Amino acid sequence: MSLLEINNIEKSFGDLQVLKDISLSIDQTEVISILGPSGSGKSTLLRCMAMLETIDGGDMSYCEEKAVTSVSGLPVYASKTQIKKIRGYFGLVFQNFNLFPHYSVIKNITDAPIHVQKRSKNEVYKEARVLLKKMGLDDKENYYPYQLSGGQQQRVAIARALAMKPKMLFFDEPTSALDPELTGEILKVLRSLADEKMTMIIVTHEIDFARSVSDRVIFMDGGIIVEEGSPKEVIDNPKNERTKAFLKKMSFNS
């Protein structure tokens, strides 16, 4: 089943067209990595899919429910009630964690399930503690974000997203704010989620990770999808010159 389908997405900021006619379908349990140089449009695409940015053209469906419909070439968003429901289908993990600094770890994780989803406090706390254990943070529930390392904060952010029971998770460069040692911690968590068949869309510059964990790799440049396929096709045997140049540069830099 297709969890997310986008067709002919367009997005501009002023005179700069950042996304040009992007179409993509994401199936249940798929792990998709989006690669590309800075300014290629990959983070903007993720933000449009997560409805943090509005699109200028095209349409989007989540779990076969229309979020945006193209009417006479213009995007029309669903009702507020419908959009709120659709937002519940996905979780988003930011590169800078975005935890509430004045909330403890456990409150960061439990606040939205209790107040937004109106779920039982006891049930939510119980599930939050299971998630903390899974993240290797079961001794940190009463800590505050400033008392944690970057890698620990990112694991709390992942637990917070999972606490909402989404059908898929979006990750916007989840390791870019971390040093190499802490990056390994997060990639290990993402790998375990992939093993559990969590649907994930990951904007990343970690080529080896994308190769090992992805079902599909998308390479973007200049606001378009230049190349798309299995890691073997896109990373190991790229056909497009732009993809080849990017991967060569990345391997040289690493």
Side-chain angles (χ1 to χ4, degrees):
M1 174 184 154
S2 176
L3 286 189
L4 172 57
E5 188 137 343
I6 62 174
N7 295 299
N8 314 113
I9 297 293
E10 307 270 345
K11 177 66 182 173
S12 296
F13 294 106
D15 294 334
L16 179 67
Q17 192 174 5
V18 183
L19 299 177
K20 305 166 186 172
D21 196 26
I22 301 256
S23 295
L24 191 57
S25 181
I26 291 153
D27 291 335
Q28 208 161 357
T29 77
E30 262 197 305
V31 177
I32 293 180
S33 290
I34 304 177
L35 307 176
S38 294
S40 60
K42 56 190 190 300
S43 284
T44 300
L45 175 60
L46 193 84
R47 289 178 67 81
C48 286
M49 291 192 293
M51 291 193 280
L52 294 173
E53 299 280 359
T54 53
I55 59 174
D56 300 328
D59 58 72
M60 295 198 294
S61 300
Y62 294 78
C63 303
E64 297 173 0
E65 293 179 36
K66 281 281 186 194
V68 190
T69 309
S70 189
V71 178
S72 304
L74 293 173
V76 177
Y77 278 77
S79 68
K80 278 187 178 172
T81 310
Q82 186 68 4
I83 292 291
K84 187 179 177 186
K85 182 190 173 193
I86 287 170
R87 283 184 191 278
Y89 293 149
F90 58 81
L92 181 62
V93 179
F94 301 89
Q95 53 185 298
N96 295 319
F97 329 131
N98 286 25
L99 298 174
F100 294 115
H102 54 295
Y103 283 2
S104 65
V105 164
I106 194 88
K107 189 165 169 57
N108 262 288
I109 295 169
T110 57
D111 193 63
I114 291 168
H115 295 110
V116 177
Q117 295 180 330
K118 311 293 186 200
R119 284 163 50 203
S120 142
K121 189 173 177 179
N122 287 343
E123 175 200 328
V124 169
Y125 267 78
K126 194 174 169 184
E127 287 174 7
R129 290 190 173 110
V130 170
L131 284 169
L132 281 173
K133 191 172 176 64
K134 187 172 167 179
M135 297 292 153
L137 296 169
D138 41 336
D139 58 339
K140 299 283 191 281
E141 71 169 69
N142 295 315
Y143 281 52
Y144 284 81
Y146 77 90
Q147 296 173 300
L148 304 176
S149 71
Q152 289 170 332
Q153 288 185 59
Q154 190 61 297
R155 280 182 278 156
V156 173
I158 295 170
R160 179 177 64 177
L162 288 169
M164 298 290 281
K165 299 184 182 291
K167 293 180 184 293
M168 62 186 137
L169 284 178
F170 294 123
F171 291 89
D172 186 10
E173 303 215 15
T175 60
S176 68
L178 305 175
D179 65 36
E181 189 180 340
L182 298 179
T183 292
E185 289 178 16
I186 301 307
L187 298 184
K188 191 174 166 190
V189 170
L190 296 188
R191 196 168 271 120
S192 74
L193 290 173
D195 290 343
E196 291 166 18
K197 303 298 182 196
M198 184 73 197
T199 308
M200 294 188 282
I201 299 99
I202 308 165
V203 169
T204 183
H205 54 271
E206 299 285 341
I207 305 294
D208 289 339
F209 171 73
R211 180 192 284 114
S212 68
V213 83
S214 309
D215 297 300
R216 200 159 25 122
V217 174
I218 288 164
F219 175 71
M220 288 183 69
D221 195 13
I224 62 169
I225 293 176
V226 173
E227 203 159 344
E228 180 180 351
S230 68
K232 193 170 179 58
E233 289 166 329
V234 177
I235 296 174
D236 297 332
N237 301 289
K239 293 178 179 59
N240 190 284
E241 290 307 318
R242 280 194 276 181
T243 318
K244 288 178 187 173
F246 171 77
L247 291 167
K248 189 174 179 184
K249 186 180 170 195
M250 290 298 284
S251 63
F252 181 75
N253 288 344
S254 63

